[in-house]
Amino acid sequence: MAGKAAGSVAKAVAQYQYPWREKLVKYKDELAKGVWGYWELGAWKPLGISARCRARLRKEVLLAGEDWPYDPERKEMRTRRKGHKCDRIAAEKRENTARLMEKMPDMLLDYKKRRWEKKMKEEDKGKL
């Protein structure tokens, strides 16, 4: 007797299908408002359908091979590097220092030349 009852329950469960078409028609307006909720007259309104029911409905629609247009658009992946800023800046500073050290002899010559010209101007002013 118990075996027949269990078999009939299993058969009923196997035949049962979630009525996603009716649910989709019923909650179409709510689903179009967003995933979590929406602002209305300056107040946050949660959806009329719970997140669990929404997820189940979405799953059933996708399993049936239909498209689900109510997902929010995906944002771009972040391209920022992780890690400590001081480590990145330190490497950039070392590269910059190496480049400047290559230019150092020319910079020193320019500095000495400017200093010598300034000294000559001051001597000319002192003579006049």
Side-chain angles (χ1 to χ4, degrees):
M1 185 87 169
K4 287 182 183 178
S8 64
V9 168
K11 188 176 178 184
V13 168
Q15 289 177 349
Y16 173 77
Q17 283 195 340
Y18 186 72
W20 63 269
R21 289 191 193 275
E22 295 85 21
K23 298 277 186 184
L24 193 61
V25 170
K26 181 179 176 184
Y27 292 114
K28 184 177 168 187
D29 295 333
E30 282 296 307
L31 292 169
K33 291 178 182 174
V35 179
W36 301 281
Y38 56 97
W39 288 98
E40 184 177 295
L41 300 175
W44 179 256
K45 297 260 185 169
L47 290 183
I49 182 172
S50 71
R52 182 184 290 176
C53 292
R54 181 187 184 280
R56 183 173 183 195
L57 179 60
R58 179 180 183 272
K59 181 177 119 181
E60 293 293 333
V61 169
L62 293 175
L63 282 175
E66 302 288 326
D67 63 327
W68 181 259
Y70 303 111
D71 279 338
E73 57 276 350
R74 294 263 179 186
K75 293 184 181 177
E76 243 181 78
M77 290 290 289
R78 291 182 67 183
T79 55
R80 294 193 117 170
R81 294 171 272 165
K82 285 197 170 185
H84 295 283
K85 183 179 178 183
C86 61
D87 296 337
R88 289 194 307 269
I89 289 177
E92 291 170 6
K93 282 185 177 180
R94 282 193 295 274
E95 291 171 10
N96 190 30
T97 303
R99 266 189 272 117
L100 289 173
M101 289 305 283
E102 291 171 2
K103 297 179 188 177
M104 187 60 78
D106 297 332
M107 292 169 73
L108 283 173
L109 287 174
D110 290 343
Y111 171 71
K112 287 179 181 177
K113 185 177 178 184
R114 282 195 317 268
R115 206 174 66 188
W116 182 79
E117 288 173 354
K118 184 177 177 184
K119 184 179 177 185
M120 291 296 121
K121 274 187 180 178
E122 287 176 359
E123 285 181 6
D124 290 342
K125 284 183 183 178
K127 289 181 181 176
L128 292 175

